[in-house]
Amino acid sequence: MKILTIDDSRMVRHMIRTILLEQGHDVDEAENGEAALEKIENNQTFDALLLDWEMPKMDGITFLKHVRTNNIVDNSKIIMLTSLNKLSNIQSAIESGADEYIMKPFTPEDIMVKFNATMGIN
Amino acid sequence: MKNESIANRSDLSSQNVKTISDFIYDRTGILLGETKRYLIKSRLQNIVKLTGAASFNELCEKVGQETNSQLDVLVIDALTTNETFWFRDNAPFFAMENKLLPYYRERRFDTSFNIWCAACSSGQEPYSLAMLILESGLFNTWDIRITATDISSSMLKKAKSGIFNQLEINRGMPAKYLIKYFEQIDDDQWQVKSHVRQLIQFKKINLHELMPAHWVYDLILCRNVLIYFDLESKKKIFNKLYDCLADDGYLVLGGSESTLGVCDKFDLESIEKAVFYKKPASKSSVT
């Protein structure tokens, strides 16, 4: 599968890349919502986006609302991956079109379990 | 001198690995042994600290010496508990959601649904199942009873509280269920809502001992626990589970576990991508 990790932390992007590459997935990176949008507008398609919330230029929730409202990545699953851990944050993300939500800090297993469940991989 | 004492404290002799393994086997039927040396050491580390024992070996020599000792309870507790995930292994939960729950809804002649989660650890499995059942909407007017058992008192206490920290929640709890079935207590803690908790009764049960004679369940989950038992113990436990299962009821095991070659009473059924073990009573089946 082709995955886009969108996070302003180089370390988080590296971790996600490493975890998903080990499972045989193809992983691309973007450092904020704006950079991710550029890739999508350049006709790059992704099966899943792992999306941070707090990022410069365009944050995760703005990106999420934009792509879901404009039906830009209808065929992509979006998993929020953020240190915001309030119930209201989770509700807001799911209502805005996120398919899943993972709170930071996370373990590789947390990523794999939720990623696989979201993508229907056993 | 100081270095020597640290070395002694961290050492665990082969004889004492055997002593502990024999003790655990005798009391619980769970098989440890030299291959589980790392697990024994890491799990007993806190007890060495807690009891002020000078070394692992000193601790091990005291185990099993008195009836019902506090130390024995701590050691059994530490060596028989396992971390669990929500909806651990997706396949059996997908199969239950899509096939097994509708099967029970159709087949039951009364409106009760009795489930036993054996070895429930800190409760993720029975809560996952309770949420799955509620979410299905198939049993809204039914009497749902989930009995969740474990050998560990501390795990049962935690499970009963329904309180989980963020790290535990992250381990597989789907966001839509988190929103619907949990309350956030503080920045790090979440509690399962009371209407979900009320579906589950927690009880201390040792699978190695006799089960209550009146237990009859429509569905039994006994997952990722029999891997710790030897063949003879597995046979005994499978027979007990069989006896506790209603006719046409299903047993669910862990992905790496099977009744094959151990107990031939069950019919194996592949349902979607999971394997279930049926107590045969008629020709009906899910597939």
Side-chain angles (χ1 to χ4, degrees):
Chain A
M1 287 183 179
K2 200 168 175 197
I3 322 295
L4 179 63
T5 168
I6 310 164
D7 204 302
D8 58 335
S9 160
R10 185 193 293 259
M11 192 189 76
V12 171
R13 295 200 307 270
H14 177 76
M15 282 176 70
I16 297 298
R17 175 184 278 275
T18 308
I19 294 164
L20 294 174
L21 278 177
E22 269 180 18
Q23 304 299 317
H25 301 298
D26 183 8
V27 185
D28 199 355
E29 299 179 18
E31 60 191 24
N32 56 55
E34 203 173 275
L37 214 48
E38 253 175 55
K39 286 180 186 284
I40 291 161
E41 282 166 356
N42 285 331
N43 294 323
Q44 290 194 49
T45 56
F46 300 96
D47 298 294
L49 313 178
L50 272 75
L51 178 65
D52 187 17
W53 189 308
E54 295 171 299
M55 294 179 289
K57 294 189 179 174
M58 183 188 279
D59 66 23
I61 197 73
T62 307
F63 172 87
L64 177 66
K65 286 176 180 170
H66 178 75
V67 295
R68 287 309 195 210
T69 307
N70 295 293
N71 305 107
I72 293 173
V73 286
D74 279 354
N75 296 323
S76 306
K77 299 285 187 186
I78 300 183
I79 301 172
M80 293 296 294
L81 182 61
T82 167
S83 53
L84 297 182
N85 64 357
K86 297 274 185 292
L87 179 60
S88 57
N89 298 129
I90 303 171
Q91 279 170 328
S92 170
I94 298 297
E95 283 165 11
S96 301
D99 296 281
E100 192 46 271
Y101 197 102
I102 303 172
M103 294 175 272
K104 294 177 182 174
F106 58 85
T107 67
E109 271 184 314
D110 299 340
I111 298 291
M112 285 322 305
V113 166
K114 284 207 167 178
F115 177 82
N116 288 345
T118 306
M119 305 309 288
I121 302 169
N122 281 312
Chain B
M1 188 67 188
K2 194 179 175 187
N3 285 342
E4 188 183 84
S5 103
I6 290 168
N8 285 340
R9 197 179 166 90
S10 64
D11 192 35
L12 179 62
S13 70
S14 295
Q15 178 55 45
N16 281 327
V17 169
K18 186 176 180 314
T19 302
I20 287 288
S21 301
D22 289 349
F23 166 74
I24 292 292
Y25 181 76
D26 183 48
R27 297 288 286 270
T28 70
I30 292 172
L31 208 59
L32 295 172
E34 193 60 46
T35 56
K36 299 283 196 302
R37 168 182 283 272
Y38 173 77
L39 180 137
I40 294 171
K41 271 188 82 167
S42 63
R43 297 270 178 102
L44 294 187
Q45 207 139 24
N46 278 340
I47 303 178
V48 171
K49 273 188 211 159
L50 199 66
T51 58
S55 65
F56 280 111
N57 288 330
E58 185 187 296
L59 183 87
C60 294
E61 281 157 15
K62 288 180 182 168
V63 170
Q65 298 302 309
E66 293 171 36
T67 312
N68 291 328
S69 81
Q70 176 63 51
L71 179 63
D72 288 2
V73 172
L74 286 175
V75 169
I76 291 171
D77 205 50
L79 289 171
T80 57
T81 55
N82 287 289
E83 195 170 13
T84 58
F85 282 83
W86 303 95
F87 301 92
R88 183 172 179 177
D89 311 323
N90 300 323
F93 283 98
F94 286 148
M96 281 191 267
E97 183 179 18
N98 296 332
K99 300 282 180 161
L100 219 53
L101 294 183
Y103 162 83
Y104 281 111
R105 178 70 178 77
E106 289 302 312
R107 274 200 61 80
R108 289 290 300 172
F109 299 113
D110 59 24
T111 53
S112 68
F113 188 14
N114 294 315
I115 301 159
W116 175 20
C117 287
C120 69
S121 190
S122 43
Q124 282 86 340
E125 182 173 84
Y127 286 125
S128 299
L129 193 57
M131 291 174 209
L132 195 76
I133 289 169
L134 290 172
E135 199 65 16
S136 76
L138 292 171
F139 304 94
N140 291 347
T141 58
W142 284 41
D143 182 17
I144 305 293
R145 288 181 198 168
I146 300 175
T147 304
T149 65
D150 202 88
I151 190 174
S152 161
S153 303
S154 66
M155 282 294 117
L156 285 169
K157 190 177 171 192
K158 176 175 170 50
K160 197 174 179 181
S161 77
I163 296 173
F164 298 90
N165 66 31
Q166 184 175 306
L167 292 176
E168 291 165 330
I169 289 293
N170 247 358
R171 298 178 84 80
M173 173 49 62
K176 67 170 185 175
Y177 283 12
L178 183 62
I179 293 167
K180 199 165 175 181
Y181 298 113
F182 283 81
E183 285 162 332
Q184 189 166 22
I185 301 175
D186 59 36
D187 209 37
D188 186 53
Q189 305 226 85
W190 300 75
Q191 184 171 33
V192 179
K193 286 185 178 174
S194 62
H195 73 285
V196 184
R197 280 186 278 138
Q198 280 165 10
L199 298 178
I200 305 169
Q201 271 196 310
F202 290 95
K203 289 180 181 170
K204 187 171 179 175
I205 287 282
N206 184 347
L207 290 174
H208 209 45
E209 293 169 358
L210 281 175
M211 298 298 129
H214 61 279
W215 279 21
V216 181
Y217 291 94
D218 301 303
L219 174 65
I220 300 176
L221 286 82
C222 185
R223 304 169 68 221
N224 306 302
V225 62
L226 292 173
I227 42 174
Y228 298 108
F229 291 85
D230 67 357
L231 188 63
E232 207 48 46
S233 300
K234 276 182 195 168
K235 274 184 193 171
K236 285 180 188 166
I237 292 169
F238 278 137
N239 281 319
K240 288 176 194 173
L241 296 175
Y242 185 88
D243 291 341
C244 292
L245 203 54
D247 288 350
D248 285 336
Y250 284 89
L251 167 68
V252 191
L253 299 174
S256 59
E257 299 164 325
S258 172
T259 60
L260 281 174
V262 187
C263 176
D264 60 6
K265 291 179 173 177
F266 296 91
D267 286 348
L268 270 64
E269 273 188 33
S270 289
I271 303 173
E272 297 195 333
K273 291 178 180 174
V275 177
F276 292 81
Y277 301 84
K278 186 176 187 181
K279 180 172 182 173
S282 68
K283 291 292 177 193
S284 69
S285 70
V286 171
T287 47

